[in-house]
């Protein structure tokens, strides 16, 4: 089974990014969905990996990936939660 990864950063001055990251992890934890938190601030190659998977050279965290499948960013995540399609969004269904 592939691993769900949430790309995030522990080093940001952006309140918006911090709040988006914690909302994503809070929702996943609340639904007992296992995921791996990948801190892109630890290594530039991780940031490049996140951006490559997102297909966007300017992508910022949080970005969500399941194995080799890009799921989406924060806005798409919230939309999936609101529409009750989170399992499909995360490619778990």
């Amino acid at each position: 089974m592939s691993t769900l990864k949430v790309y995030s950063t522990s080093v940001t001055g952006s309140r918006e990014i911090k709040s988006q990251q914690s909302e994503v992890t809070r929702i996943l934890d609340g639904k007992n969905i296992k995921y791996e938190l990948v801190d892109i601030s630890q290594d530039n190659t991780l940031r490049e990996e996140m951006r490559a998977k997102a297909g966007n050279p300017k992508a910022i965290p949080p970005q969500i990936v399941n194995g080799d499948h890009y799921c989406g960013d924060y806005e798409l995540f919230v939309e999936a939660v609101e529409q009750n399609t989170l399992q499909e969004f995360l490619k778990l269904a």
Side-chain angles (χ1 to χ4, degrees), residues 63-79:
Q63 298 288 332
I64 302 153
V65 175
N66 189 343
D68 293 331
H69 302 285
Y70 176 65
C71 299
D73 60 7
Y74 174 76
E75 281 77 20
L76 293 170
F77 176 83
V78 169
E79 193 176 297

Side-chain angles (χ1 to χ4, degrees), residues 3-61:
T3 307
L4 188 65
K5 290 185 180 179
V6 177
Y7 287 91
S8 66
T9 181
S10 58
V11 182
T12 179
S14 166
R15 247 191 218 136
E16 186 180 12
I17 289 176
K18 281 181 189 165
S19 111
Q20 289 178 354
Q21 290 177 164
S22 48
E23 186 170 354
V24 167
T25 56
R26 182 180 55 76
I27 290 170
L28 292 175
D29 290 342
K31 295 187 179 293
N32 284 329
I33 297 173
K34 289 185 172 55
Y35 60 93
E36 178 187 335
L37 208 53
V38 180
D39 187 352
I40 64 165
S41 66
Q42 302 303 311
D43 188 344
N44 273 343
T45 57
L46 292 173
R47 184 176 62 222
E48 296 311 316
E49 176 186 300
M50 173 193 78
R51 289 179 169 169
K53 289 184 178 185
N56 177 351
K58 292 184 168 59
I60 56 169

